[in-house]
Amino acid sequence: MKLAARVSQVKPSLTLAIAAKAKAMKAEGIDVCSFSAGEPDFDTPAHIKAAAVKALEEGKTKYGPAAGEPKLREAIAHKLKTDNGLDYKSENVIVTNGGKHSLYNLILSFIDPGDEVIIPAPYWLSYPEMVTLAGGVSVIVNADASTGYKITPEQLRQAITPKTKLFVLNSPSNPTGMVYTPDEIKALAEVIVDADIFVVSDEIYEKILYDGAEHISIGSLGKEIFERTFVSNGFAKGYSMTGWRLGYLAGPVEIIKAANSIQGHSTSNVCTFAQYGAIAALQGSQDCVAEMLQAFTKRRQVMLERINAIPGLSCPKPDGAFYLFPDISKTGLKSLDFCDALIEEHQVAVIPGIAFGADNNIRLSYATDLATIEKGLDRLEKFVRSRI
């Protein structure tokens, strides 16, 4: 059997593979401390679940519009206008099967073979693979700890060519947790407008911010950048709704119509009754978000202090999301070897930085309880000390 050539061009997701391995080891009775999955360990808030149950009881179990339930699209448009300063209407929004799906729909709708997409590294591992599936070319621009893992406007400007069509902006960032300041966002927007390219702003972690960090949606900075902006977001991280698979894409009507056409021939509509839970998430109390953020704040502090106290490891303080991205280069190990040895010898699961374009780093998620964090970091410290 000959598979399509595109299959060989795409790398399997290391985050999903390592998370699955950790779960399999736990199922065998092995005591594993997993810092692998980007998934809040909290249950979905009760009022969100109740809204979905009510929708089930009311018989909202049939096919719906491929672009999403009208009430949810209206609620998303309202949220984008009031929270982010983006003047969208419901026709500018499509509901997708998770935030990842919104990005995939956009890439397929917008990128032709040979088009260049600028992706800052470290990057979320699925960005380049989506571009590859569309026949596009990923142009990777590297940033390091000296700039807070954020690229500069000059780096962006130098990466732009006549083939450049799209720039990917992720703030707060997966895997680094770094957040671009308002001034940094403004400077990037000026480059984008000057070059007449487009930007997709992945804002899935916008609600998880620390120490006064401010999230700015790049499209809110003026008419010219707004017209060149797509927004990807979802409910997984801020509302602990990972398994609900609910995301959305917002942007010019033309791209939303194109994404709707693609979605109509792939997944069709998102789970109907789940969308009523999403409406409740947007329109109900936001206290649940604050409660989760309080727990993440404490975990970040504990994990960051422990990591930076381990000889051979160093990690800047993240401004958002729930990840640390320490440098492991002093151990003499590259990231995949480091992670393989760590899980085999000490039963701690972390993600190799090579998955994010940074082979001297590893990613740890602190979306887990403090007891697991303390025990896992004890094991990590023992492992690192054995290597240096």
Side-chain angles (χ1 to χ4, degrees):
M1 180 185 295
K2 183 179 179 182
L3 298 176
R6 71 179 66 90
V7 176
S8 64
Q9 297 171 353
V10 176
K11 302 171 189 147
S13 170
L14 273 175
T15 55
L16 296 180
I18 292 174
K21 181 175 182 177
K23 288 178 181 178
M25 291 173 69
K26 286 183 179 181
E28 294 172 4
I30 300 171
D31 180 22
V32 177
C33 296
S34 181
F35 303 130
S36 57
E39 179 173 42
D41 57 318
F42 308 101
D43 193 9
T44 302
H47 70 285
I48 298 173
K49 294 193 292 184
V53 170
K54 183 173 183 288
L56 275 170
E57 291 173 342
E58 292 176 350
K60 293 183 171 67
T61 59
K62 307 298 184 184
Y63 291 135
E69 291 296 309
K71 289 183 179 179
L72 177 54
R73 295 174 75 191
E74 290 172 6
I76 292 169
H78 178 74
K79 179 265 179 206
L80 290 169
K81 187 169 186 177
T82 57
D83 291 1
N84 305 108
L86 301 168
D87 192 15
Y88 289 127
K89 298 179 174 58
S90 60
E91 64 184 5
N92 297 104
V93 175
I94 181 172
V95 181
T96 60
N97 289 276
K100 182 182 289 189
H101 190 215
S102 75
L103 290 162
Y104 186 62
N105 280 345
L106 170 63
I107 296 297
L108 285 188
S109 302
F110 195 61
I111 299 303
D112 277 323
D115 286 345
E116 292 181 353
V117 179
I118 297 175
I119 302 173
Y123 47 74
W124 180 50
L125 77 173
S126 290
Y127 295 144
E129 307 306 328
M130 293 178 186
V131 173
T132 296
L133 285 169
V137 177
S138 294
V139 177
I140 307 301
V141 179
N142 292 296
D144 57 30
S146 68
T147 59
Y149 294 111
K150 296 180 282 188
I151 70 165
T152 66
E154 186 57 32
Q155 282 181 295
L156 175 58
R157 186 177 290 109
Q158 290 179 359
I160 294 171
T161 76
K163 293 183 178 181
T164 303
K165 196 166 185 183
L166 184 67
F167 169 57
V168 178
L169 175 64
N170 178 211
S171 177
S173 162
N174 175 8
T176 67
M178 296 306 173
V179 178
Y180 285 84
T181 67
D183 285 344
E184 289 168 341
I185 293 286
K186 182 178 179 181
L188 292 173
E190 290 173 355
V191 176
I192 292 163
V193 171
D194 287 345
D196 194 21
I197 63 172
F198 287 78
V199 57
V200 55
S201 182
D202 182 350
E203 304 182 2
I204 193 74
Y205 294 97
E206 66 164 329
K207 294 184 178 296
I208 306 173
L209 298 165
Y210 311 103
D211 301 335
E214 184 180 358
H215 168 73
I216 296 292
S217 190
I218 192 168
S220 68
L221 296 176
K223 182 176 182 292
E224 289 183 308
I225 187 64
F226 177 72
E227 292 172 346
R228 292 168 173 81
T229 298
F230 310 112
V231 177
S232 169
N233 207 329
F235 299 84
K237 314 300 183 178
Y239 297 101
S240 195
M241 295 172 68
T242 51
W244 292 61
R245 309 313 303 138
L246 283 160
Y248 56 88
L249 178 70
V253 171
E254 296 91 335
I255 204 71
I256 299 305
K257 286 181 177 178
N260 187 40
S261 179
I262 289 173
Q263 186 158 295
H265 290 293
S266 54
T267 62
S268 195
N269 67 289
V270 175
C271 174
T272 301
F273 55 85
Q275 293 183 65
Y276 288 86
I279 295 170
L282 292 177
Q283 296 182 342
S285 169
Q286 302 298 298
D287 289 348
C288 56
V289 178
E291 290 168 6
M292 286 187 276
L293 181 59
Q294 185 176 15
F296 286 141
T297 302
K298 176 62 175 177
R299 296 169 183 181
R300 179 189 66 140
Q301 177 185 348
V302 170
M303 184 175 273
L304 186 66
E305 288 176 357
R306 288 291 309 272
I307 289 288
N308 281 327
I310 298 173
L313 299 187
S314 62
C315 184
K317 193 174 187 179
D319 303 309
F322 39 68
Y323 306 109
L324 294 186
F325 202 60
D327 187 312
I328 61 167
S329 57
K330 290 183 180 179
T331 67
L333 295 172
K334 290 302 184 181
S335 61
L336 195 56
D337 291 335
F338 184 104
C339 294
D340 284 342
L342 181 61
I343 195 169
E344 291 297 332
E345 297 175 19
H346 294 275
Q347 294 75 56
V348 177
V350 301
I351 306 297
I354 194 171
F356 311 104
D359 205 13
N360 287 324
N361 296 74
I362 57 173
R363 191 195 76 176
L364 297 89
S365 166
Y366 48 90
T368 189
D369 61 276
L370 280 171
T372 298
I373 289 172
E374 293 283 10
K375 180 166 62 173
L377 292 181
D378 286 342
R379 297 178 183 181
L380 175 63
E381 181 172 0
K382 184 177 179 181
F383 171 75
V384 173
R385 287 182 180 276
S386 74
R387 291 302 196 275
I388 61 173

